[in-house]
Structures are given as C-alpha cells and as structure tokens.
Amino acid sequence: MQVSVAHHPPNTAVLVLRGSLDIDTAPSLKANLNRLVERPSPRVVVDVAGLDFCDSMGVGVLVTAHARAIERGGWVRLAAPSGFLRRLFDTLGLADYLALFPDVAAAIKE
C-alpha cells in the first residue's frame, strides 16, 4: 500500500491510499493516522479511491483513528469509497459513524 499526505486549508490533512489495506499494511496506516490525529482538533480526510482491498484490520485502524480524532475535537472522513468499501461499512453498521463522501472536495467542504 502507498500512503501520501497533503495539507489543505482549512487545517485539513488528506491521506491518499493506494493498493491493499490489510493485516500487512495496516500498521503503516496506523502510524500515519496516529501522527495526524494527535494534533489539536484534527481534521483528516482519507482518500480511499485507490484502495483495491480493505480487510477488518484496515477498518479497525480507520475507526480507531476517528474515535481518537473525536476525543480531540476533530474527525476522520473517508472520500471516494468504492462500492465494495461502501457496502462493507454499511454491513458493519459503520457508515453512520465514519462519514463517507463522494470525493475529497466534498469531505473537506462539509
């Protein structure tokens, strides 16, 4: 999995993921997200358009990061989830907890 970070106004980090998010790559994502959600009022958009696959470890990292961001007065949002990822979050009952947006611009704007 490839991870890149860009910063956008207003004080929002955009994390772009490419490849597979699974048991082997989840620790890398966790390290990146932990660093971003430790800031005051963290606002993090995770662009998942380039994900080919996401397993339970990946979902857990995203949900945990969102919980930590909420504790610090911020949030984590997902942008451009595939149909598979959207259905996965719906099935797990997480679509109402972790906001899903059609693209990065919508996630930042909202």
Side-chain angles (χ1 to χ4, degrees), residues 35-106:
R35 183 175 46 82
L36 294 171
V37 300
E38 288 304 316
R39 301 177 306 165
S41 302
R43 297 166 44 112
V44 181
V45 174
V46 182
D47 181 352
V48 294
L51 277 186
D52 303 332
F53 177 77
C54 181
D55 70 6
S56 61
M57 291 293 291
V59 171
V61 168
L62 294 168
V63 170
T64 300
H66 181 58
R68 292 182 69 200
I70 288 173
E71 290 172 358
R72 300 184 66 79
W75 44 255
V76 172
R77 297 175 175 172
L78 298 186
S82 65
F84 164 76
L85 201 55
R86 188 173 291 279
R87 285 188 304 277
L88 178 62
F89 274 79
D90 284 340
T91 300
L92 295 173
L94 295 171
D96 291 333
Y97 177 69
L98 187 58
L100 308 176
F101 291 85
D103 55 38
V104 170

Side-chain angles (χ1 to χ4, degrees), residues 2 6 9 12 20 23 25 33 49 52 56 63 66 74 87 94 102 109:
Q2 296 174 336
T12 303
S20 295
I23 193 167
T25 59
L33 281 171
D52 303 332
S56 61
V63 170
H66 181 58
R87 285 188 304 277
L94 295 171
K109 179 180 170 187

